[in-house]
Amino acid sequence: MFSRKLKVFQEQYGWVQTYYQGKEAWIAKHHLIPLGESQVSQVKQATVLSIETITITADGVNIRSGPAEEYPVIGSASSGKTYELIHTEGNWHKVSLKGGKTGWVASKLTNKSAVNNSGNSEKPKINAKTLSPKKQSGSLSDRHIVLDPGHGGRDPGAIGLGGIYEKSLTPPIANRVADRLRNAGANVTITREGDYYVSLEQRAAISNSHNTDAFISLHFNAYPILSAQGISTFYYSRPGQQLAKSVQASLYSNVTLYNRGVKREDYHVLRNTAAPAILIELGFITNPHDLNIIQTVDYEQQVAEAITSGLIDYFN
């Protein structure tokens, strides 16, 4: 009987994710037999596993969704950060990120080494200058942020599993984000504080009536096919695009939901708001996995931290 040992990175709906020949692959769980502790010990004694890693050699290195600069930025890495190397394609390294996710880094901004199961490694020589930490103020002092909880009143928004309304989910997370932004020094305006209707025109007008530095509309997604999942950020203008990239990258780094990337859309509140504006879809309330996470306090806190960090990066 043919057998092969695999490393599992995540499990969803009876399927497990691994890598085969440098590419992401999914296998039905019922085809696999988990190794017991004694079996794992035997494997470790019989083999010496060599794991290639790459170390970032500059600050602010972009992590992209594919092996070219045309692919969206899904995160960033600072000098000295080390990742497990999965595959190299041309001048790009595919690396393993937390939560079973993957990303691509330009090879010219890395050094490569190998680590074996005894813990020994060949550490790359890194110029001391590249190890200097990136300075970041960590403050949003004097910044005015407008948060826009989507829908409300007679407009329920999307309807999710169990009949849950999108309009009931957006205010709590907006309040959580507002608290975190205020702790970072920002002035915050929220377009609605309760379950009442606010038109799209009024939402844009509220933002335009202040000296707003950034407008963020918060939503949850829905789709007839239950497997649709993840977070996405939308923009309309070029300033909005930069804000969207920064916030989406921060969300990718802070939350466990699938990254659907940054996209341009002609939404009314984005088109008619003078400040840099984005609309975030914070997960699918029609997906059981997303909905279970969305309804937790931990998720609200992670989103609040991610949006705050994304704004700080954007303004810096």
Side-chain angles (χ1 to χ4, degrees):
M1 180 179 70
F2 177 77
S3 64
R4 180 171 185 159
K5 296 178 179 67
L6 299 173
K7 181 177 180 181
V8 172
F9 290 86
Q10 63 173 316
E11 177 183 342
Q12 292 184 18
Y13 311 117
W15 291 75
V16 295
Q17 184 234 322
T18 185
Y19 290 94
Y20 180 70
Q21 295 182 345
K23 296 182 179 180
E24 182 178 306
W26 289 82
I27 301 173
K29 186 179 178 181
H30 64 265
H31 290 307
L32 304 177
I33 301 173
L35 288 175
E37 289 186 8
S38 61
Q39 292 171 295
V40 172
S41 178
Q42 293 171 10
V43 171
K44 287 183 177 179
Q45 292 173 10
T47 62
V48 176
L49 300 177
S50 180
I51 302 173
E52 283 192 301
T53 64
I54 60 105
T55 301
I56 305 298
T57 59
D59 283 320
V61 173
N62 288 327
I63 301 175
R64 298 183 180 272
S65 62
E69 292 186 354
E70 289 76 20
Y71 286 90
V73 175
I74 59 174
S76 62
S78 56
S79 179
K81 183 74 173 178
T82 299
Y83 298 94
E84 181 178 341
L85 176 63
I86 297 171
H87 175 62
T88 298
E89 184 174 318
N91 296 321
W92 293 82
H93 291 319
K94 187 176 186 180
V95 297
S96 177
L97 306 175
K98 67 179 183 179
K101 299 175 181 177
T102 62
W104 293 82
V105 180
S107 59
K108 65 182 179 181
L109 301 174
T110 69
N111 279 331
K112 190 161 63 172
S113 64
V115 179
N116 62 43
N117 67 351
S118 66
N120 298 323
S121 64
E122 296 181 3
K123 296 183 179 179
K125 295 180 180 179
I126 303 176
N127 188 299
K129 184 176 181 180
T130 66
L131 291 173
S132 300
K134 182 180 180 180
K135 294 182 179 180
Q136 187 177 49
S137 66
S139 172
L140 293 172
S141 180
D142 299 325
R143 298 293 184 181
H144 192 136
I145 312 300
V146 173
L147 296 178
D148 176 42
H151 310 285
R154 67 176 186 265
D155 174 16
I159 301 176
L161 299 176
I164 191 167
Y165 288 159
E166 179 185 2
K167 72 172 185 177
S168 67
L169 296 173
T170 52
I173 206 162
N175 289 329
R176 186 80 63 177
V177 175
D179 288 343
R180 181 64 185 88
L181 292 174
R182 290 177 179 127
N183 287 339
N187 297 313
V188 180
T189 297
I190 302 178
T191 58
R192 73 174 177 96
E193 300 280 0
D195 186 16
Y196 53 85
Y197 178 76
V198 181
S199 70
L200 298 178
E201 291 79 9
Q202 289 172 314
R203 294 169 193 266
I206 290 170
S207 179
N208 293 339
S209 66
H210 294 84
N211 187 22
T212 302
D213 292 294
F215 173 92
I216 301 175
S217 191
L218 301 172
H219 290 257
F220 292 93
N221 223 330
Y223 198 68
I225 300 175
L226 296 184
S227 60
Q229 62 183 133
I231 293 178
S232 50
T233 302
F234 299 89
Y235 69 93
Y236 177 74
S237 66
R238 184 170 293 277
Q241 181 183 26
Q242 296 306 314
L243 176 59
K245 287 181 177 179
S246 181
V247 171
Q248 182 72 13
S250 185
L251 285 165
Y252 178 78
S253 299
N254 283 273
V255 305
T256 58
L257 298 191
Y258 177 71
N259 175 33
R260 298 177 66 89
V262 171
K263 304 172 185 177
R264 186 176 188 269
E265 285 290 350
D266 188 17
Y267 293 142
H268 183 96
V269 291
L270 302 182
R271 187 178 68 250
N272 292 284
T273 303
I278 59 175
L279 185 150
I280 310 173
E281 295 282 4
L282 288 164
F284 281 74
I285 58 177
T286 47
N287 178 275
H289 174 260
D290 279 15
L291 185 57
N292 285 337
I293 293 175
I294 286 166
Q295 293 178 293
T296 65
V297 173
D298 283 348
Y299 183 71
E300 292 180 357
Q301 293 173 338
Q302 290 166 2
V303 168
E305 186 64 37
I307 290 176
T308 302
S309 297
L311 283 168
I312 291 171
D313 288 342
Y314 170 74
F315 289 122
N316 281 348

